[in-house]
Amino acid sequence: MELQEKLDAFQQYIDAEEKIEPKDWMPDEYRRHCIRQISQHAHSEVIGMQPEGNWITRAPTLRAKKILLAKIQDEGGHGLYLYSAAETLGISRDEMIRQLHEGKAKYSSVFNYPTLNWADIGAIGWLVDGAAVTNQLSLRRTSYGPYSRAMLRICNEESFHQRQGYEIMTKMANGTPEQRRMAQDALDRWWWPALMMFGPHDNNSPRTYNGIVWKIKRAGNDELRQRFIDKTVPQAEFLGLKIPDPQLQWNEATGHYETGEINWDEFHRVISGDGPCNRQRMEHHKRVHEEGAWVREAAEAFARRRKAENLTEAIA
Ligand code: 3HC
């Protein structure tokens, strides 16, 4: 088939809501787009373990510690699903890690902010995981099969992450005046970085067009951000906390909240490496990756020996 015929057949397959599988023919740009988005999603899951990991030893109760440990372990698993999904497109884990370490691949901007106290752990679960699950529920219908199946598994766990964060915020908002102040302060610091997770406005989003045509993304950045805002503002009101946006107002005619403008200078500063914790996050990831080299070498040696043993048995 000529290339154009292949491209037309591919688009018809996508438009028929079929899933693209690893062995299917796909345009190089579709492959590159999926590799980029899935690997950056995986990096986000793993880097996102750092800000919360700082609070495992400082959790206020054994129950809180167990929940936080389970959540962070889930995030590592999400990273594993997503790196494995990206590998089906022909990129190696080592190459993805190299791109991350060399600044050629991104991870979600939100993880470049510090976690200053326990209320931040509540705000991250409620807002950051809440934003992530809003995005990921939409991605369950993404056209690339392995990514879609990863999302189905991840979304189940992400909803628990959001609920455990909201539980922390509920306890603190109904606690002592100092705990209430901490909950409001955490909301003040995490609200706008959570909105930035959905990316630039669609009219400023270089990847959204292809993403939507190829059904890699099933909704634009602004639509998903609006879904999150409409869901989260009533939750803040229920807690008696104030969203840090003086322009926030309900629009009866549209049935949506209207908000002030995101600080896009801050967004571009953070995603280009100049956020409060970018350097710390990357140094930690590089150091721990180095320290873990022996585990990878041992696992690979074991796999080689098992393969040799199986081969010997097969020949015998
Ligand atoms: N942080 C970092 N980079 C971002 C970003 C953000 N919040 N928003 C956009 N970008 C980057 C994009 O990756 C793209 O960079 P690239 O061209 O180098 O790849 C550039 O800015 C332009 O943005 P676009 O809107 O054109 O890019 P996309 O169409 O890909 O949209 C996205 C960006 C919404 C993040 C999309 O890639 C996406 O939906 N990704 C999958 C979901 C994801 O990665 N979520 C991470 C959240 S963290 C998480 O899930 C962990 C959970 O446990 C909390």
Side-chain angles (χ1 to χ4, degrees), residues 170-185:
T170 304
K171 280 189 180 160
M172 295 192 79
N174 294 293
T176 64
E178 176 53 15
Q179 285 172 330
R180 185 174 184 71
R181 189 200 61 72
M182 288 168 69
Q184 182 61 60
D185 168 59

Side-chain angles (χ1 to χ4, degrees), residues 41-62:
H41 196 162
H43 295 328
S44 303
E45 299 280 1
V46 171
I47 298 276
M49 296 166 79
Q50 289 187 36
E52 294 176 305
N54 290 339
W55 285 86
I56 293 173
T57 55
R58 304 182 179 100
T61 66
L62 179 58

Side-chain angles (χ1 to χ4, degrees), residues 36-37 40-41 44-45 75 106-109 111 128-129 132 135-136 139 147 158 196-200 205-208 217 221 267 271:
R36 196 149 186 72
Q37 177 164 328
Q40 293 187 157
H41 196 162
S44 303
E45 299 280 1
E75 306 299 9
K106 297 182 173 72
Y107 57 89
S108 196
S109 50
F111 296 122
V128 174
D129 289 82
N135 174 298
Q136 290 168 166
L139 284 171
Y147 193 24
E158 211 73 80
M196 292 176 194
M197 287 172 68
F198 294 95
S205 163
R207 294 182 180 277
T208 284
K217 300 171 83 168
N221 298 353
F267 170 78
I271 72 168

Side-chain angles (χ1 to χ4, degrees), residues 256-288:
H256 295 297
Y257 285 95
E258 289 171 356
T259 65
E261 192 52 59
I262 288 171
N263 179 340
W264 294 111
D265 291 342
E266 176 181 335
F267 170 78
H268 288 291
R269 200 172 53 246
V270 175
I271 72 168
S272 50
D274 192 21
C277 298
N278 296 56
R279 206 167 289 102
Q280 174 188 339
R281 299 287 183 247
M282 205 40 59
E283 281 167 4
H284 178 95
H285 192 281
K286 287 176 181 171
R287 178 170 50 75
V288 171

Side-chain angles (χ1 to χ4, degrees), residues 122-163:
I124 285 180
W126 172 36
L127 299 175
V128 174
D129 289 82
V133 76
T134 304
N135 174 298
Q136 290 168 166
L137 285 170
S138 166
L139 284 171
R140 289 177 304 176
R141 295 171 49 238
T142 187
S143 59
Y144 188 58
Y147 193 24
S148 167
R149 292 187 287 274
M151 282 299 105
L152 292 171
R153 286 199 63 169
I154 287 175
C155 285
N156 293 335
E157 292 170 348
E158 211 73 80
S159 326
F160 147 67
H161 298 173
Q162 194 269 356
R163 280 201 302 277

Side-chain angles (χ1 to χ4, degrees), residues 222-239:
D222 289 322
E223 180 186 342
L224 291 172
R225 192 177 358 253
Q226 190 63 58
R227 280 187 206 166
F228 170 71
I229 291 164
D230 290 345
K231 175 179 73 171
T232 309
V233 171
Q235 292 172 347
E237 287 170 352
F238 177 77
L239 295 180

